[in-house]
Amino acid sequence: MSLVTLLPFIVLIGAMFLMTRSAKKKQQQAANMRNEMQPGSGVRTIGGMYATVKEVNEDTVLLDAGPGVDLLFAKNSIGAVLTDDEYNRIVHGIEHDLKSDADVVPDDASSLTESDASAASASDDKPVDLGKKDADDEPAGEPTVDAAPAEAKADEQAKKSDGGSEAK
């Protein structure tokens, strides 16, 4: 056999060796991570549940998922051991921000665009007149100024829809 016919087999065996080597390396890292777990650590299971490690045994882990809720899991079911900051951010919503001394931006921009004088005048309890009037406010028998153009428009609409020669 020549070298040309053996080359594809050699390349295939080399690729399989590299793939199994990287998989073994990942498995070793995961095993080290699971072995380094200590009580009090925050973890995420492979199912996506976040909990605190209560007790670590040889093959099992006792997790505290909440007040009075203790769960027994296999060590292999722990997907990640989280840092304290990451666990508090995800579970409790506590952000440990190094820029906490900086100015806090409000949720709405109204405080950024108003001055103190305009904010004080805006808080007066006067009703704002938007120009609309209720039918009860108008004196009986007197049409408003806007009523005449509205009636003319209604008459035009009626004439157009009579079905006369214009509609054909």
Side-chain angles (χ1 to χ4, degrees), residues 50-119:
Y50 292 92
T52 306
V53 176
K54 195 170 184 180
E55 184 181 313
V56 179
N57 298 322
E58 189 174 325
D59 293 331
T60 60
V61 179
L62 186 64
L63 300 178
D64 182 18
V69 181
D70 293 337
L71 304 168
L72 187 63
F73 275 83
K75 254 190 183 179
N76 292 339
S77 66
I78 302 301
V81 178
L82 308 172
T83 63
D84 290 338
D85 290 339
E86 186 178 12
Y87 181 78
N88 287 331
R89 181 181 57 82
I90 293 170
V91 175
H92 303 295
I94 299 171
E95 288 285 336
H96 179 69
D97 193 10
L98 298 175
K99 302 175 192 174
S100 61
D101 296 336
D103 293 335
V104 176
V105 178
D107 288 340
D108 62 341
S110 63
S111 65
L112 299 175
T113 57
E114 297 182 341
S115 66
D116 292 335
S118 64

Side-chain angles (χ1 to χ4, degrees), residues 152-166:
K153 287 181 183 177
D155 289 341
E156 286 181 32
Q157 292 292 335
K159 289 179 184 176
K160 286 183 181 178
S161 62
D162 282 345
S165 62
E166 297 173 359

